[in-house]
Amino acid sequence: MSEGPIELTNHVARSRVVSPEEGVNTSPDNSRNSYGNPEFSLPPMDGGKQAWLFLAACFVVDALVWGYAFSFGVFQDYYSQHAPFASSGNIAVVGTSAVGILYLFSPIVLGVCRLYPHYARFATPVGLLIASLSLALASLATSTDTLIALQGVLYAIGSAIAYCPTILYIDEWFATRKGMAYGIVWGGEGLASAVIPLILQRLLAQFGHETTLRASGVAIFAICAPLSIYIKPRLPPSNATAMRPWGLKFLISGLFAPYQLGTLVQATGHFIPGIYLPTYARTVLGASGFLSALTVLLINISTTIGCVIMGTLTDRLPATTCILISSVGTTVGVFIIWGLSSALSVLYVFCIVYGLFAGSFTSTWPGIMRALGRDREEDDSQSGIDPTMIFGWLCAGRGVGSLVSGPLSDALTKGMAWKGLASGGYGTARVSYGNWQATDES
């Protein structure tokens, strides 16, 4: 498809599915479009002012809603030391429910947006309003159960509604650079996860959790809501791809199931370093508070870079090759760099490697969507697969893995008979996690 605009003309459109890349049929009559409206032009794909504004807006929205959810560790540390939540044993559930539901709710929101395309572009401001109100209401909470319901569940639902249109419309704005676009959007999550905790830590120390939660809600809405005008479809809703979002037979097909299983296994181990690395650096290697927190910052910043690189690779390499690169890099990092390390500097090298390879795993998903699309052309029985819904169900699999990883990590760090009997990281208190993560990533 050329980079120039496409002229829509007066032509009675035949009933058929039109892909975002293909646009709308044209005819020699240039006076009116196929639906009797005055002539207008579609903006170009893979470039141009509107495409880049769309991508920039998606980057900011995804960065804030996901980055805030992944920054709950700062709140957890504060809640565990201050009334009225210090005596509660369920504080961690707030963070796990926020992240897990944000992933699990994605295919539901994407499916509803597919069913009601005329209203989908309004989902972002509505979702932002829900997420912001949930944080403001959470500032009034006096029990952990209320925090779970508001800062956890309701925030996740609002955030899912807000970010899903960014995924829905990428297919319309980018074709040859689709992987790069997904990588940039998902990279915002890592960057925000490195910056937001620093801001929250300062706010909590100076103003407490009530003011911090209210300020967070206002900031998220004030920053993201104006940008939602750029998160819009490239094609008129009536011309968008006609799909059946709830056709779920592909979930158990031989094409999709291996990718979903790999996503589930990867997610089961992926989230644990962000939980344990600061403690590992402080207790095993004697790092100070800032130097121990630097481990997570390095992972998040490296994740941002890795997502963009991996997304670009998916535009050029098969999905399986990109998944192999991510898995091998992660395994080498855990088994060799961390496993044989006994110095803080080497641990920092591991954090960078882990962020580049493990953190970029989700940027392989555009390759999976493309691979299933090619297989669909060869197998008519899979003709109902919607690439956007593939993305949604991969998110759901990652959500299940994130929920499972917490209890598993607790079980694996008990009864470590080899502690002190092996060299490097293998003889430390966290070796069981390192070994398990490497096995799951390989």
Side-chain angles (χ1 to χ4, degrees):
M1 179 174 177
S2 64
E3 294 293 325
I6 300 176
E7 300 296 329
L8 301 184
T9 57
N10 185 24
H11 182 70
V12 179
R14 289 177 294 175
S15 176
R16 67 184 188 89
V17 173
V18 183
S19 69
E21 292 85 352
E22 186 180 358
V24 181
N25 283 344
T26 61
S27 75
D29 183 358
N30 292 323
S31 60
R32 302 178 70 83
N33 67 11
S34 59
Y35 296 91
N37 297 321
E39 178 183 331
F40 68 97
S41 299
L42 292 175
M45 296 183 70
D46 293 307
K49 179 181 177 181
Q50 294 191 50
W52 293 120
L53 284 174
F54 165 80
L55 192 61
C58 293
F59 176 88
V60 174
V61 171
D62 279 46
L64 288 183
V65 299
W66 283 96
Y68 198 87
F70 282 120
S71 301
F72 178 77
V74 179
F75 279 102
Q76 181 174 337
D77 184 61
Y78 180 89
Y79 289 151
S80 63
Q81 301 178 52
H82 296 80
F85 312 109
S87 60
S88 175
N90 296 322
I91 296 175
V93 179
V94 181
T96 56
S97 62
V99 174
I101 293 175
L102 191 47
Y103 277 120
L104 292 171
F105 212 65
S106 296
I108 298 175
V109 176
L110 288 171
V112 172
C113 287
R114 278 300 199 204
L115 289 176
Y116 304 99
H118 288 83
Y119 304 101
R121 69 166 302 180
F122 303 109
T124 295
V126 171
L128 290 171
L129 181 61
I130 295 173
S132 299
L133 287 176
S134 71
L135 295 178
L137 293 173
S139 68
L140 306 175
T142 57
S143 67
T144 305
D145 290 341
T146 306
L147 280 180
I148 294 172
L150 295 173
Q151 191 175 356
V153 176
L154 187 59
Y155 173 81
I157 293 174
S159 296
I161 296 173
Y163 101 89
C164 278
T166 68
I167 303 302
L168 188 70
Y169 298 140
I170 286 181
D171 280 354
E172 296 186 17
W173 286 101
F174 293 88
T176 59
R177 296 178 177 178
K178 186 182 299 182
M180 179 207 67
Y182 275 105
I184 291 176
V185 170
W186 281 98
E189 167 196 317
L191 182 61
S193 298
V195 176
I196 291 177
L198 301 178
I199 299 174
L200 292 178
Q201 196 168 35
R202 179 64 62 88
L203 291 175
L204 287 169
Q206 291 187 352
F207 304 106
H209 72 279
E210 296 95 342
T211 302
T212 299
L213 285 169
R214 293 165 192 163
S216 299
V218 172
I220 290 175
F221 189 82
I223 294 173
C224 296
L227 297 176
S228 64
I229 63 174
Y230 299 112
I231 301 176
K232 58 185 179 181
R234 175 177 166 270
L235 301 175
S238 57
N239 298 329
T241 307
M243 290 287 184
R244 295 176 299 169
W246 307 122
L248 305 181
K249 290 183 178 180
F250 76 92
L251 292 177
I252 57 175
S253 70
L255 300 176
F256 179 78
Y259 290 115
Q260 182 69 298
L261 179 61
T263 297
L264 176 63
V265 171
Q266 196 272 346
T268 305
H270 170 76
F271 297 97
I272 302 179
I275 300 173
Y276 287 117
L277 269 177
T279 303
Y280 180 90
R282 185 176 66 253
T283 59
V284 177
L285 302 178
S288 64
F290 172 77
L291 294 179
S292 60
L294 187 58
T295 56
V296 177
L297 294 180
L298 288 174
I299 287 180
N300 290 330
I301 293 173
S302 300
T303 295
T304 301
I305 300 172
C307 282
V308 177
I309 295 174
M310 185 63 71
T312 303
L313 287 177
T314 60
D315 290 327
R316 296 168 170 81
L317 300 175
T320 50
T321 302
C322 294
I323 293 173
L324 181 64
I325 293 173
S326 174
S327 300
V328 170
T330 305
T331 302
V332 170
V334 175
F335 264 126
I336 298 178
I337 302 177
W338 189 9
L340 300 180
S341 69
S342 58
L344 187 61
S345 58
V346 181
L347 186 66
Y348 289 155
V349 174
F350 161 74
C351 293
I352 295 173
V353 171
Y354 191 85
L356 287 172
F357 290 96
S360 64
F361 184 84
T362 53
S363 291
T364 66
W365 291 356
I368 297 175
M369 297 157 65
R370 185 180 301 110
L372 292 180
R374 283 200 301 267
D375 289 336
R376 186 174 69 245
E377 292 175 1
E378 300 171 1
D379 183 0
D380 292 338
S381 65
Q382 303 298 322
S383 59
I385 300 179
D386 182 348
T388 300
M389 295 307 299
I390 292 174
F391 184 97
W393 289 110
L394 288 173
C395 274
R398 192 169 176 82
V400 172
S402 70
L403 294 175
V404 171
S405 65
L408 277 180
S409 66
D410 289 337
L412 289 166
T413 52
K414 295 178 180 178
M416 296 166 288
W418 55 84
K419 180 181 178 181
L421 301 179
S423 61
Y426 290 110
T428 65
R430 301 300 175 190
V431 65
S432 64
Y433 151 68
N435 191 15
W436 168 69
Q437 167 67 12
T439 301
D440 272 0
E441 291 287 352
S442 58

